[in-house]
Amino acid sequence: MNTSTINASSFVYGLITFRDVMYVARASGLNASTDEGKTWHNALSSLQPEPTPITCLLSHSQGLLAGSVGGLFSSQDGEQWQAISLRKPVPTLSALAVVTARMANHNDVLLASSLADGVFRSDDNGQTWLAWNIGLFDLHVLSLIVTDGNIVIAGTETGLYVSYNAAKAWEAVEMPVGDAILSLACHQGSLYVGTETQGLYCLDANTLTKDTLGTRFLTSDTVDWEKLELPRGAINQVDIADEHRFVLVDETVYSYQQDVWTAMEKDVSCFAHMNHQLALGFLDGSVQVNNV
Amino acid sequence: MSNIRAGVRFQPDVNKRLQLGVHKLAQLIRPTLGPLPRTVVHQKLNDIELLDKGALIARRMTNLPDRREDIGAMYLRHMMWQLYEDVGDGTATAAVLFTTLYDAGLRYLAAGVDVRKLGGALEYHLKYLLNQLDQQTQPVSALAQLQGIARSVCPDIALADVLAELVHDLGEFGRLELRKGGTQHEWSFVEGNYWSGGVLSKRFLEGKTPARIELEDVGVLVTDFQLDDPRELPPILKQALQLGFKKLILIAKTISERAITFLTAPQLLEQLAVIPVKLDGFTQAQDSANHTDLTALVGGYPVVSLGSASLPRARPDDFGRARLVWADQQHVGIIGGDSDPHALKHHVNSLKTAFYTAQDAELRKTLRTRLGRLLGGTITLWVGGASEREVEANQEHAEHTDLTLRSALEQGVLAGGGRAYLTCYNFLQRQYETASTLEERASCHMLLTALEAPLRTMLDNAGLEPSEIIGTLKTAGDEVGYDIRNQTYSNLTEQGILDVASVQKAALRYAVSSVALALTIEAVVHKKTPEQVTAP
């Protein structure tokens, strides 16, 4: 087990790896570690003033994106960063995602969701950003994911929205319960939706294709939701894969082993599964990397 | 016996002349059915115009020399124009269907069928045919499908492809504004929602370059006030201050100079910046719709004075909020309205329901505009062309193509090139074989002939022999059609050769209903010819 602490009062928002470097998004900024979390250094020193907090991170084919209360920042190597101009009023970013290009000579579409301004998109490698938000009635977006079929799902304060054209136009998806959607995950055609007070739901994401449905108003009658049995609490994060299932309920990480959800760690603010390791960000600002 | 003075004609004198008139107009229309576009030149006073739309060609045609032939042509013209106003397309198809049905119907009349019973049988079989077309209808969502449809109605391929891509992005109701452009087709995206209207006084734009105001985190109060006496404003402003607003957009009808002076006073501006703006509306209903939509987006409620002498008080709940409001002299825009998303979604769904049930074309157009605005985001397409005339023509094509693509998204598509009608053939053949009365058999036979007619016409237009191809298609699977441009049998749906379902159904419905009525004509009363007027 490798542990290290840096700035004990700095809340951890997210963890990712990029080119074998671990990055942690904190209330105090962005830190990087090249030794699996043993030591950390400030990754945003190229920016003045340094943006804080860093609320979300994304690694993509062209580099890194970091979202903040004050906007968006990009880097090709993780060390040299530049600010990206977003329209005023400047959004507070909540999540980042990418729609991978399926055709040659097309760029990936980068997505940045915000707490009050919907979803911004860029199809020119982050040079320019526009918030199309057509049909996105709730602009308070808390979570964002892109499925294997390149369908974009946005979780908002009041429910779920789906986009079939890389976040240009959106349609509301009715859920069995109305609640804030805090977390999203997708695995093997199943969509996992974590709510604030109503638990974790699972849906066959293939039912969200336009060709299959062909309906004008997506109702809970037309899609089949399954509620997973979990301890009560806010589903803050979900990570489902072949070899693991992790859920952050309130501040406790649960793993699914032998048909049972088992509590692993408490006082966790976020986690990331990377290369057979589970990195945990704790409420006290510390980061712990465990082999799993 | 005819009465020359009154211009009255009775059967059997009438039908032949009506039929001739119908044929004369139909001959003009047939070449435009496709698949390769053909045009008709119409001579105007000092100019000519090139037309390729059946309804527009028909509209230009007036006053055949023979009055009875003219009535026949005008009857067909009237049907085509009604169809054009209803669905915007399919008029050439309807003309071909009508002509075929009418010819066959006249033969059966001569053979002694009861015209009333025949009309009833036609309506009966029409219902089943429309049901058959419904079953063939598929939803459309892929860009390639939309491109195929756009290219079939828009002669400018580049414009068709741009429109297909934009409508694919916007969906059924997203807002697309078409403007005249330069030499190229260009488009841009505007975030948020905006209305025609603007700042109520240029004084609020003084010193600003460009002439536009932008207010962030702003309160919005929607009213129908005529702001005349500034003494009536303080209660409203006090309420806004109590709610914590530093900036306020006040929607009103008019504003007096005194009120402007009051609102631009430095003492007020230190506490609260107020910008009065208007939303354009020609009628009270439009005003009400604008107010309802705006409050659905920003929250709050419209404050209505109902023409009373003094302004009503604004309650805290009446105020809405937005992340940003912008306004210039011609428009007012909102970005990030702060309404209840459930209420907004409910309002949008109500308008969608009204749209789907509306029969009136103007009402549907109004509702579509409102929905586009509420959904947020606008694409402006500047339609280009090599000359001003071409730009105008292209803009007309763009409007028509946009409407067609939206109809396709709304109502789905059928295999194109007349294939969908032909797929109904076997079903109707079975009806024919089990028909029990002469009128039922006549109806089936008329419709069987008509179902082939559009494809037969297109094959004729392409210089191909129709009978063999139609014969092959009747025994091939329903998914096999004939690609006329490439002269091959193929899956038309996969090739993107599609027709909008609502158009095909409307064309059939209009043609059958119009023929059923036309066959009941017993006499015509027409204007006297100049010779008849002067005759003793």
Side-chain angles (χ1 to χ4, degrees):
Chain A
M1 180 186 298
N2 301 315
T3 63
S4 67
T5 59
I6 181 167
N7 194 341
S9 61
S10 187
F11 186 87
V12 177
Y13 286 96
L15 296 150
I16 61 166
T17 56
F18 174 70
R19 295 180 187 169
D20 297 324
V21 178
M22 186 183 296
Y23 293 86
V24 56
R26 298 175 179 278
S28 58
L30 182 66
N31 303 121
S33 171
T34 54
D35 52 13
E36 294 182 350
K38 294 194 186 72
T39 58
W40 298 89
H41 64 272
N42 184 357
L44 288 178
S45 54
S46 62
L47 290 172
Q48 291 299 330
E50 290 182 30
T52 59
I54 301 299
T55 53
C56 47
L57 291 169
L58 174 75
S59 72
H60 61 103
S61 59
Q62 304 295 317
L64 278 172
L65 284 177
S68 171
V69 167
L72 189 60
F73 305 88
S74 72
S75 171
Q76 290 185 330
D77 58 7
E79 294 299 327
Q80 294 300 314
W81 290 82
Q82 56 193 15
I84 293 173
S85 175
L86 296 175
R87 63 100 172 110
K88 288 183 178 179
V90 180
T92 297
L93 297 178
S94 54
L96 299 164
V98 58
V99 179
T100 310
R102 291 281 170 93
M103 292 165 60
N105 301 325
H106 278 66
N107 294 324
D108 293 345
V109 178
L110 304 174
L111 306 175
S113 67
S114 63
L115 294 183
D117 298 285
V119 179
F120 291 80
R121 65 188 303 283
S122 171
D123 53 18
D124 56 7
N125 290 324
Q127 299 294 316
T128 59
W129 294 76
L130 271 178
W132 283 58
N133 292 336
I134 297 173
L136 187 61
F137 301 130
D138 189 348
L139 298 176
H140 304 94
V141 182
L142 307 173
S143 51
L144 192 67
I145 199 169
V146 179
T147 71
D148 298 331
N150 265 1
I151 298 173
V152 186
I153 315 279
T156 72
E157 280 188 359
T158 55
L160 209 60
Y161 288 81
V162 61
S163 172
Y164 304 103
N165 55 9
K168 285 180 175 174
W170 299 84
E171 293 178 28
V173 181
E174 293 293 332
M175 283 189 67
V177 293
D179 199 7
I181 310 296
L182 302 182
S183 55
L184 295 164
C186 194
H187 176 63
Q188 288 186 343
S190 289
L191 175 69
Y192 296 87
V193 180
T195 67
E196 188 173 19
T197 64
Q198 303 296 320
L200 180 65
Y201 286 82
C202 176
L203 169 72
D204 180 356
N206 293 321
T207 61
L208 288 177
T209 62
K210 262 192 168 175
D211 292 336
T212 309
L213 281 177
T215 55
R216 293 196 185 97
F217 310 130
L218 292 168
T219 68
S220 55
D221 293 337
T222 62
V223 296
D224 227 346
W225 292 96
E226 177 194 346
K227 184 172 179 180
L228 278 66
E229 292 299 322
L230 270 169
R232 290 175 71 106
I235 310 297
N236 287 313
Q237 194 173 347
V238 184
D239 186 355
I240 310 286
D242 282 338
E243 63 277 4
H244 68 261
R245 291 188 181 191
F246 296 111
V247 176
L248 179 60
V249 183
D250 287 335
E251 286 118 24
T252 302
V253 173
Y254 290 82
S255 75
Y256 192 70
Q257 293 165 0
Q258 293 169 344
D259 298 332
V260 172
W261 290 97
T262 306
M264 283 181 62
E265 291 282 351
K266 290 187 177 180
D267 298 328
V268 174
S269 61
C270 69
F271 66 85
H273 186 267
M274 44 183 90
N275 298 328
H276 304 293
Q277 292 179 315
L278 183 68
L280 298 162
F282 290 88
L283 295 177
D284 64 1
S286 62
V287 174
Q288 180 176 298
V289 181
N290 299 335
N291 293 321
V292 291
Chain B
M1 183 170 153
S2 62
N3 181 338
I4 295 176
R5 278 191 180 275
V8 180
R9 295 289 183 269
F10 296 91
Q11 296 290 9
D13 217 15
V14 167
N15 280 340
K16 204 155 183 60
R17 294 291 185 180
L18 292 179
Q19 189 181 24
L20 280 172
V22 165
H23 274 268
K24 279 185 180 172
L25 179 54
Q27 283 300 106
L28 269 183
I29 306 298
R30 269 181 217 279
T32 67
L33 188 55
L36 300 170
R38 303 227 191 136
T39 53
V40 171
V41 175
H42 172 245
Q43 183 181 22
K44 293 159 72 172
L45 194 58
N46 293 315
D47 201 358
I48 58 163
E49 57 181 345
L50 291 162
L51 304 168
D52 61 357
K53 288 280 170 282
L56 297 178
I57 295 167
R59 187 88 163 179
R60 301 291 189 268
M61 184 174 169
T62 57
N63 295 337
L64 289 177
D66 184 293
R67 294 298 177 170
R68 282 160 289 167
E69 288 179 16
D70 189 48
I71 289 178
M74 293 304 105
Y75 186 92
L76 176 59
R77 184 182 93 157
H78 179 70
M79 179 210 76
M80 292 171 68
W81 191 252
Q82 278 197 311
L83 175 62
Y84 184 73
E85 293 215 302
D86 187 6
V87 297
D89 201 6
T91 52
T93 303
V96 166
L97 289 168
F98 179 98
T99 311
T100 310
L101 285 165
Y102 191 55
D103 289 349
L106 289 178
R107 286 195 292 274
Y108 277 107
L109 276 192
V113 297
D114 182 322
V115 69
R116 301 283 169 201
K117 289 180 183 175
L118 177 61
L122 283 170
E123 296 289 344
Y124 176 81
H125 290 125
L126 171 65
K127 199 170 58 177
Y128 282 96
L129 285 177
L130 293 176
N131 186 257
Q132 285 289 302
L133 291 174
D134 278 338
Q135 289 180 29
Q136 294 179 50
T137 299
Q138 303 168 36
V140 62
S141 58
L143 177 57
Q145 291 175 312
L146 290 174
Q147 261 175 346
I149 295 169
R151 286 185 177 192
S152 72
V153 297
C154 182
D156 184 321
I157 299 289
L159 181 58
D161 288 350
V162 164
L163 282 164
E165 193 177 329
L166 296 179
V167 172
H168 183 251
D169 285 339
L170 291 170
E172 200 178 327
F173 294 107
R175 192 172 175 191
L176 176 65
E177 298 276 329
L178 298 170
R179 303 262 186 273
K180 288 181 190 168
T183 54
Q184 302 291 328
H185 308 306
E186 292 173 326
W187 65 271
S188 66
F189 178 79
V190 176
E191 186 186 345
N193 329 76
Y194 71 89
W195 285 256
S196 296
V199 203
L200 271 169
S201 169
K202 288 181 195 174
R203 279 172 63 177
F204 293 95
L205 298 175
E206 279 171 4
K208 295 195 185 298
T209 307
R212 170 178 161 127
I213 58 110
E214 287 187 4
L215 299 180
E216 295 181 25
D217 290 322
V218 56
V220 181
L221 185 65
V222 178
T223 79
D224 67 345
F225 295 168
Q226 295 183 4
L227 299 170
D228 185 40
D229 187 350
R231 288 174 295 183
E232 294 187 299
L233 289 170
I236 296 171
L237 305 182
K238 190 177 168 187
Q239 188 66 258
L241 284 167
Q242 283 175 348
L243 291 169
F245 293 123
K246 297 276 187 240
K247 301 158 202 167
L248 179 69
I249 292 288
L250 181 57
I251 310 290
K253 277 181 107 65
T254 59
I255 190 167
S256 67
E257 279 301 317
R258 293 184 300 154
I260 293 172
T261 303
F262 177 82
L263 291 176
T264 52
Q267 305 93 305
L268 175 64
L269 289 175
E270 282 173 11
Q271 298 180 75
L272 180 69
V274 183
I275 308 291
V277 300
K278 65 178 168 77
L279 303 181
D280 283 345
F282 296 109
T283 65
Q284 196 161 354
Q286 282 176 340
D287 285 341
S288 177
N290 283 338
H291 294 166
T292 303
D293 291 346
L294 182 48
T295 50
L297 279 166
V298 302
Y301 299 92
V303 182
V304 180
S305 64
L306 292 173
S308 73
S310 60
L311 302 182
R313 298 247 169 187
R315 303 162 303 166
D317 284 350
D318 293 332
F319 288 80
R321 187 188 294 265
R323 290 276 279 155
L324 186 141
V325 175
W326 61 268
D328 54 27
Q329 285 188 269
Q330 291 169 330
H331 299 96
V332 179
I334 304 279
I335 293 178
D338 197 30
S339 66
D340 173 10
H342 289 304
L344 177 56
K345 195 164 65 179
H346 178 77
H347 180 59
V348 167
N349 285 346
S350 299
L351 290 181
K352 281 184 180 176
T353 302
F355 175 85
Y356 292 130
T357 54
Q359 301 293 320
D360 181 64
E362 268 307 307
L363 177 59
R364 284 167 66 90
K365 188 177 171 187
T366 301
L367 288 168
R368 190 191 289 280
T369 301
R370 288 178 68 185
L371 281 163
R373 191 180 290 126
L374 283 166
L375 289 172
T378 302
I379 292 180
T380 303
L381 171 63
W382 283 274
V383 180
S387 65
E388 197 175 325
R389 186 197 292 269
E390 188 178 346
V391 168
E392 281 178 11
N394 277 344
Q395 185 167 14
E396 209 173 300
H397 287 310
E399 285 167 5
H400 178 65
T401 306
D402 179 31
L403 185 61
T404 303
L405 291 172
R406 307 301 183 127
S407 297
L409 287 174
E410 179 196 337
Q411 303 249 358
V413 292
L414 295 162
R419 186 50 174 118
Y421 289 144
L422 205 58
T423 302
C424 303
Y425 192 93
N426 291 337
F427 163 79
L428 197 58
Q429 179 71 32
R430 287 194 291 277
Q431 299 286 311
Y432 176 70
E433 286 160 5
T434 58
S436 55
T437 68
L438 174 61
E439 286 75 20
E440 284 177 21
R441 283 197 294 279
S443 165
C444 286
H445 188 250
M446 286 166 64
L447 287 166
L448 282 169
T449 313
L451 289 176
E452 293 181 6
L455 178 56
R456 191 174 285 278
T457 302
M458 281 189 272
L459 292 168
D460 270 335
N461 287 345
L464 299 170
E465 166 46 48
S467 298
E468 183 184 337
I469 294 169
I470 291 176
T472 303
L473 290 177
K474 279 180 184 173
T475 55
D478 291 346
E479 69 282 359
V480 177
Y482 192 73
D483 178 351
I484 299 174
R485 282 177 197 255
N486 295 316
Q487 296 187 23
T488 57
Y489 293 95
S490 64
N491 185 319
L492 297 181
T493 305
E494 284 177 9
Q495 297 299 316
I497 301 172
L498 302 164
D499 282 328
V500 180
S502 58
V503 169
Q504 296 301 297
K505 289 191 291 187
L508 184 63
R509 196 172 66 244
Y510 270 76
V512 171
S513 301
S514 299
V515 163
L517 187 61
L519 291 174
T520 66
I521 294 173
E522 194 56 35
V524 298
V525 179
H526 54 75
K527 290 179 187 175
K528 296 176 189 175
T529 61
E531 295 78 25
Q532 290 170 330
V533 169
T534 56

